[in-house]
Amino acid sequence: MNALIGKSERRVDGRDKVTGRAQYAGDFHLPGQLHGVIVNATIGLGRIRSIDASAVETMPGVVAVISHLNAPRLAYKPHKTFIDPAVGERLHVLQDDRIHFYGQPVAVVVARSLDQAERAARALNIRYDRRQPKVDLRDPSLPVVLPEAMGEEADKSRGDLEQAVPGAVTVDERYEIARENHTPIELHATLAAWTGDRLTLWSKSQFVVNEQAEIAAIFGIDPANVQVISPYVGGAFGTTLRTWPHVTLAALAARMTGQPVKLTLSRKQTFYTTGHRPFTTQRVRLGATPDGRLTHVEHEGTGETSRYEQFAEALVSATSYLYSCPNLRVRYRLQPCDTSTPTYMRGPGEASGIFAIECAMDELAYKLEMDPVELRRLNEPKLDEGSGLPFSSRSLLQCHDVGARSFGWARRSPVPGSMKDGRLLVGWGMASGTYPVWFAPASARARITPAGEFEVEAAASDMGPGTYTSITQVAAEALGVPMSAVKFRLGRSDFPPTPPHGGSMTMASVGSGVRAACQALRAELLALAASSAASPFAGASPGDLHWDAGALMRRGASERLGYARLAALGPPGLMATATGGRSEEAGKYSMHAFGAVFVEVAIDPDVYTMHVRRMVGAYGAGRIVNPRLATSQCIGGMVGGIGMAVMESTVLDKRDGRPVNAHMADYLVPVNLDIGDIQVHFIDEEDPYVNPLGVKGLGEISLVGVAPAIANAIYHATGKRVRHLPIRIENLLHGA
Ligand code: MOS
């Protein structure tokens, strides 16, 4: 038996990535391709009065200027896909003269070269009738609505919040989190080509089968006539879980010009309509007995959405199960405003909601004069008090233990400002994190080639966590062959369908599907070897056969049947297809990953520059398929948490809704100098219920909890409690 799951195998795609052989969406080229450049609205609300394309149409290289004036009316069929993160009516691009938000695409200029298209796009003269958009979420005239799709889930309660507790210690605070954009290194890009009525899209996507379905619905064509190809994704964090308007525009431009069209968003354009983490406001009320037992938890959250769609996330969902508390109420609302629709961004909902809860817990710990780790320990629940179900596994206390020990938490002096390093203020803070274990059936196929290689395929995506590698491990282990004998391919909509590459469920879902397909192929091959007249093992029982070092062997015999010879016994390309499932027992459990983050910040007391010197993350996330990749993924999530805590904020101009810092000079993300030492620990966790592989996922949990740990560390260093993200130098200076 070769146990590959659990081994720190190297990335199978590492060489291709560092040599540039790996092709991202923008790297694909077709002969005769044209270049499309989107023209974006420069008002935040209103109508297009006129578009004068005449001067632009005669500019060098220009092939077409496409706007609502000449674009065909598209079908925009309503459709049900696997996951649609928003309800409402998606933006119908170039279908009428209405402007819903700043930066909405209003035209596409297509030219022979990118340079010509950019120049012409800049010159296009568009006049507008402008109205005043509402984009300031603090504006009291904005409506507040119940998220339709959530219904009662948006209001949950248990116990009696009015119940008085003698001597209760309370916290009642408001928290705010800025709008954030995903800003992956790789820009969104689509190359679209029609052959007759068949469309091929080379497009950055975390969900190729959904992009196929959506584009087919938009154009009113059979999904079988749309092929989406996305072998590599250079970071995404949720921004390509949906199909945004630029994909439609690339396909539309290609159809209208009769040539392949490549369309790449500029960095600035990625701030307009590729989704964003919604601005949120929250209120948290906590009550505890003087000895630290929670008696009341009230958590209200409101997130922004667009006027044409409701985007809802899990802002208050974790509150009901994170700690034990008899009396609890959560409430979630949306605020529609004149902006594009937000979407999932790493740790969607939980990262924001848990920021508020975990900062409030820290405030409570100070009021109780209790260690924050101890406060959490005291409120550890025996079961999920939200659903009433037992946890399939829950290692939050072990995460606290392992994290605290590794960090050296016992040496912390609790008084704010009491820990110093020379003239620098040192702050130590911590927070818990949690994220659900999602699962959805994924299909996969596995075949043996005449050369005796194993090919495994699933639609899937790999936005960087190492899916190519970890799934190859799963496949090789299930087949019983070395990793070098397996080639795993993903990122094509004509491969067996898989759920979105998001919600931390790729290994759980795609891994389970691949495992099932490989087990089925292995069983077929063993049966073939035991039954085929041409097989040296004819007549053997399949149970007596096993793989060993590149060949099939019979127990107690020395004869070897190589993979190529084995393949020759069956029909060419012998293949097995399967869909992964999980045990029905799963429904009887509450299934979540847990984590704890410990942070040290150093702050200059004169100018309040901050440095996150070190972080320790401890995670109970089920089985870890590849510790090296898992550690790397967690480091990435924790770095993202630094961005959320002290840097990232998309600022809108209240006059017109323009994102004013739509570029990497002013939209700050952590760079190497911002990162100190990061340590990652995994708790040994065996969870037989979550899925056949026993994995819980890591993408989101690694970010959840980082921002509150940093905010709590900043308080510990300075005695200043900043209740909004990002926390900037000026917040500490002004609070002085
Ligand atoms: Mo992630 S927000 O599920 O890509």
Side-chain angles (χ1 to χ4, degrees):
M1 232 15 242
N2 58 338
L4 286 165
I5 294 179
K7 291 228 173 96
S8 284
E9 298 291 340
R10 287 165 194 278
R11 283 184 188 256
V12 296
D13 53 347
R15 183 176 294 267
D16 281 355
K17 281 186 167 174
V18 298
T19 57
R21 206 159 33 209
Q23 281 190 292
Y24 296 79
D27 295 332
F28 289 94
H29 303 283
L30 288 174
Q33 76 185 13
L34 303 173
H35 296 267
V37 169
I38 293 175
V39 180
N40 305 89
T42 53
I43 64 166
L45 186 68
R47 285 181 185 273
I48 300 167
R49 191 191 306 161
S50 65
I51 297 181
D52 181 6
S54 56
V56 164
E57 276 161 351
T58 56
M59 285 176 71
V62 172
V63 176
V65 179
I66 305 169
S67 70
H68 72 287
L69 298 173
N70 58 350
R73 297 291 83 100
L74 299 176
Y76 276 103
K77 286 191 185 154
H79 69 112
K80 294 262 175 274
T81 52
F82 201 91
I83 275 191
D84 203 335
V87 298
E89 190 49 74
R90 57 211 193 281
L91 187 75
H92 291 197
V93 71
L94 306 193
Q95 299 295 290
D96 59 45
D97 61 357
R98 283 178 299 165
I99 304 299
H100 304 273
F101 58 88
Y102 190 99
Q104 178 184 319
V106 290
V108 185
V109 176
V110 187
R112 302 209 180 282
S113 76
L114 178 59
D115 192 47
Q116 291 166 330
E118 281 178 346
R119 199 170 310 180
R122 271 199 300 276
L124 187 64
N125 186 11
I126 304 180
R127 301 177 69 187
Y128 299 95
D129 291 322
R130 65 186 73 211
R131 288 167 51 205
Q132 176 62 43
K134 287 191 175 174
V135 297
D136 181 4
L137 273 292
R138 296 170 198 89
D139 179 344
S141 73
L142 272 175
V144 175
V145 303
L146 183 76
E148 272 167 47
M150 293 184 86
E152 289 170 8
E153 281 290 297
D155 292 276
K156 267 188 162 173
S157 63
R158 62 176 182 250
D160 175 12
L161 276 172
E162 305 314 319
Q163 199 179 60
V165 176
V169 179
T170 60
V171 168
D172 183 353
E173 297 295 348
R174 286 170 193 278
Y175 302 87
E176 204 176 88
I177 297 171
R179 172 198 284 231
E180 293 172 38
N181 277 86
H182 304 73
T183 57
I185 301 256
E186 183 204 9
L187 296 165
H188 298 69
T190 301
L191 169 61
W194 293 83
T195 314
D197 58 0
R198 295 179 66 87
L199 172 64
T200 305
L201 299 166
W202 289 262
S203 189
K204 172 170 178 153
S205 174
Q206 289 165 263
F207 200 3
V208 289
V209 291
N210 206 51
E211 186 138 313
Q212 172 191 39
E214 173 122 22
I215 289 297
I218 289 171
F219 284 84
I221 56 179
D222 183 349
N225 282 347
V226 180
Q227 164 78 310
V228 180
I229 299 171
S230 186
Y232 286 95
V233 175
F237 318 116
T239 180
T240 47
L241 286 167
R242 274 195 94 171
T243 293
W244 299 105
H246 65 273
V247 182
T248 302
L249 292 175
L252 180 65
R255 196 167 84 171
M256 288 181 70
T257 58
Q259 305 269 100
V261 171
K262 186 194 281 202
L263 200 157
T264 305
L265 296 185
S266 65
R267 179 59 67 186
K268 185 165 142 184
Q269 288 174 324
T270 66
F271 284 79
Y272 296 149
T273 177
T274 62
H276 53 271
R277 190 192 296 282
F279 175 95
T280 53
T281 56
Q282 300 177 70
R283 180 187 178 192
V284 177
R285 278 206 315 143
L286 299 179
T289 59
D291 62 351
R293 293 190 196 267
L294 286 169
T295 56
H296 295 70
V297 173
E298 194 172 1
H299 186 190
E300 298 175 347
T302 305
E304 68 171 314
T305 189
S306 66
R307 300 247 195 215
Y308 52 94
E309 281 177 317
Q310 288 193 350
F311 167 75
E313 58 177 8
L315 186 60
V316 298
S317 311
T319 309
S320 67
Y321 69 85
L322 187 55
Y323 299 117
S324 177
C325 181
N327 308 301
L328 175 138
R329 191 169 79 95
V330 301
R331 182 186 159 92
Y332 177 48
R333 293 293 181 270
L334 296 177
Q335 242 178 320
C337 60
D338 299 307
T339 152
S340 60
T341 310
T343 198
Y344 300 122
M345 180 166 160
R346 204 167 189 174
E350 285 83 359
S352 303
I354 283 176
F355 164 70
I357 292 291
E358 287 298 282
C359 287
M361 285 292 279
D362 199 64
E363 303 201 38
L364 184 63
Y366 274 98
K367 286 198 172 175
L368 290 162
E369 296 184 17
M370 184 178 276
D371 182 89
V373 178
E374 182 58 19
L375 174 63
R376 287 162 175 85
R377 174 179 309 277
L378 276 175
N379 291 286
E380 174 72 1
K382 293 206 164 47
L383 49 69
D384 175 340
E385 294 176 7
S387 65
L389 298 174
F391 289 105
S392 60
S393 58
R394 173 172 165 129
S395 306
L396 181 59
L397 295 187
Q398 292 94 313
C399 292
H400 288 153
D401 285 348
V402 168
R405 206 175 318 127
S406 158
F407 186 83
W409 186 256
R411 299 196 308 274
R412 178 176 184 261
S413 128
V415 177
S418 64
M419 289 176 74
K420 290 202 176 154
D421 178 2
R423 53 181 292 281
L424 297 178
L425 298 168
V426 171
W428 286 8
M430 60 80 58
S432 307
T434 182
Y435 191 80
V437 182
W438 296 115
F439 176 88
S443 300
R445 63 183 169 231
R447 75 169 75 82
I448 186 166
T449 68
E453 286 170 337
F454 295 90
E455 290 179 345
V456 180
E457 292 165 346
S461 297
D462 180 354
M463 62 175 146
T467 306
Y468 273 109
T469 307
S470 53
I471 296 284
T472 303
Q473 286 175 253
V474 169
E477 181 169 311
L479 286 163
V481 304
M483 277 177 75
S484 57
V486 178
K487 180 87 190 156
F488 174 56
R489 296 204 185 89
L490 54 68
R492 287 177 68 103
S493 59
D494 59 353
F495 286 168
T498 55
H501 181 46
S504 300
M505 66 167 144
T506 295
M507 182 45 75
S509 301
V510 180
S512 298
V514 163
R515 183 171 175 266
C518 290
Q519 284 173 337
L521 178 65
R522 176 193 164 102
E524 276 191 51
L525 289 171
L526 291 182
L528 187 67
S531 65
S532 166
S535 165
F537 304 135
S541 134
D544 281 342
L545 302 180
H546 64 102
W547 306 106
D548 184 61
L552 191 61
M553 311 272 292
R554 180 186 205 153
R555 217 168 298 283
S558 60
E559 176 139 23
R560 303 166 56 79
L561 179 57
Y563 302 147
R565 271 177 69 207
L566 175 62
L569 298 176
L574 182 69
M575 185 170 78
T577 300
T579 300
R582 67 175 171 188
S583 120
E584 292 192 358
E585 292 288 293
K588 298 179 185 163
Y589 293 91
S590 169
M591 300 183 291
H592 303 272
F594 291 89
V597 183
F598 293 81
V599 168
E600 174 176 318
V601 296
I603 297 179
D604 184 312
D606 296 328
V607 291
Y608 285 107
T609 45
M610 296 172 260
H611 187 227
V612 180
R613 277 184 169 177
R614 59 193 186 99
M615 297 198 282
V616 173
Y619 301 100
R623 206 164 172 206
I624 301 302
V625 171
N626 182 320
R628 184 206 305 250
L629 292 176
T631 300
S632 169
Q633 187 180 18
C634 287
I635 290 172
M638 291 167 81
V639 169
I642 296 179
M644 182 178 191
V646 297
M647 295 175 187
E648 296 186 56
S649 169
T650 306
V651 179
L652 302 185
D653 189 323
K654 286 170 199 165
R655 294 168 302 179
D656 57 7
R658 181 178 66 100
V660 297
N661 57 338
H663 48 82
M664 300 305 290
D666 281 345
Y667 184 90
L668 304 180
V669 295
V671 297
N672 226 14
L673 205 57
D674 299 311
I675 311 303
D677 185 57
I678 299 181
Q679 279 185 41
V680 176
H681 302 278
F682 298 112
I683 310 299
D684 261 333
E685 218 178 41
E686 264 189 48
D687 190 322
Y689 306 109
V690 280
N691 47 66
L693 289 162
V695 302
K696 289 186 169 179
L698 282 171
E700 331 289 330
I701 185 68
S702 57
L703 181 138
V704 177
V706 177
I710 293 173
N712 294 340
I714 290 172
Y715 173 76
H716 181 237
T718 63
K720 291 168 206 249
R721 185 65 75 174
V722 181
R723 298 187 182 87
H724 62 82
L725 298 181
I727 300 170
R728 295 258 178 86
I729 291 170
E730 55 269 33
N731 308 131
L732 297 172
L733 279 172
H734 293 169

